[in-house]
Amino acid sequence: MPVNWLHARREAQTLQDTQREAPEMWASWLRGSNPSLSLPLNAEPLASPAAADTSRPSGQGFSSNTQMRKAVELYAMKRAREYFHEQGFSSIEDVSSRMPFDLHAKDETREVFIEVKGTQSAGSSVFLTRNEVEFARNNKSRMVLFVLHSIQMSEDQGEPLGGVQTVFWPWDVDGGTLAPIQYVYGLP
């Protein structure tokens, strides 16, 4: 497979974009035929496109370091609280341990439910639980998604620093792309 096509496929925004300039073997497989396994393999050298930032994945990703993951999460929550305080909310409560969203903010006339996501990645996607999606769908007019991405970790103490915030307010969870990454299978 051409490496450039694989990179373009990863960055594709639509199904049609994933098929653009697809190798014949791939197109044949999509049409349901079984390409010959005796085809010669032509490997290209693995190289990153010049514009790609290979040091930072684009999606939220999985961190194997639980302490770092927790620090990033708490840092994003702190930054979200600051943001909504600046927006005039007088009551901002952390409800993440008992509700399908993270912060409940109110003032005299407004009430919003805030889902907070923090990530060291470039923040092009985040993970949502089934409960978060269902709650967001049922509360579209009062839902907010606060994403703090591109968070750095200090070298000396491993503390989160910086980050770029993106706020979707109101947030329609169906306005983005939802893709299942896990299924629960009930045994027969």
Side-chain angles (χ1 to χ4, degrees):
M1 295 289 175
V3 173
N4 288 340
W5 176 73
L6 292 173
H7 286 294
R9 181 172 163 72
R10 183 187 68 213
E11 301 297 325
Q13 299 294 317
T14 67
L15 182 59
Q16 291 79 18
D17 290 345
T18 65
Q19 305 311 315
R20 195 167 289 124
E21 298 181 28
E24 179 53 37
M25 179 180 248
W26 177 258
S28 179
W29 180 79
L30 286 177
R31 289 190 301 268
S33 68
N34 188 7
S36 169
L37 297 178
S38 63
L39 293 175
L41 296 177
N42 296 319
E44 294 181 12
L46 183 59
S48 297
D53 178 4
T54 57
S55 66
R56 185 171 308 284
S58 61
Q60 189 173 5
F62 294 100
S63 172
S64 60
N65 183 327
T66 55
Q67 287 178 320
M68 185 182 303
R69 187 171 54 242
K70 187 66 175 175
V72 165
E73 178 184 324
L74 291 173
Y75 178 66
M77 291 283 281
K78 175 182 177 264
R79 292 278 302 271
R81 284 173 155 286
E82 292 168 355
Y83 174 83
F84 287 96
H85 181 73
E86 291 170 4
Q87 301 304 309
F89 286 92
S90 53
S91 170
I92 304 168
E93 181 185 3
D94 182 344
V95 294
S96 60
S97 64
R98 63 182 193 278
M99 299 298 288
F101 57 95
D102 297 306
L103 298 174
H104 185 201
K106 292 191 237 179
D107 65 12
E108 293 172 5
T109 60
R110 301 177 294 174
E111 176 184 38
V112 292
F113 310 118
I114 306 158
E115 182 60 39
V116 178
K117 298 296 180 182
T119 180
Q120 292 181 274
S121 75
S124 65
S125 63
V126 294
F127 294 115
L128 299 170
T129 67
R130 187 181 92 216
N131 288 341
E132 289 168 344
V133 170
E134 287 176 11
F135 188 85
R137 282 182 170 150
N138 292 327
N139 295 277
K140 287 181 184 183
S141 65
R142 294 187 292 168
M143 280 305 302
V144 179
L145 176 62
F146 179 95
V147 178
L148 186 65
H149 65 87
S150 304
I151 298 171
Q152 303 291 315
M153 298 301 278
S154 68
E155 291 185 30
D156 54 344
Q157 296 177 345
E159 296 292 320
L161 302 169
V164 178
Q165 68 188 34
T166 304
V167 182
F168 299 90
W169 184 3
W171 172 42
D172 179 358
V173 69
D174 293 310
T177 304
L178 290 172
I181 62 168
Q182 187 174 9
Y183 294 90
V184 174
Y185 178 70
L187 299 176

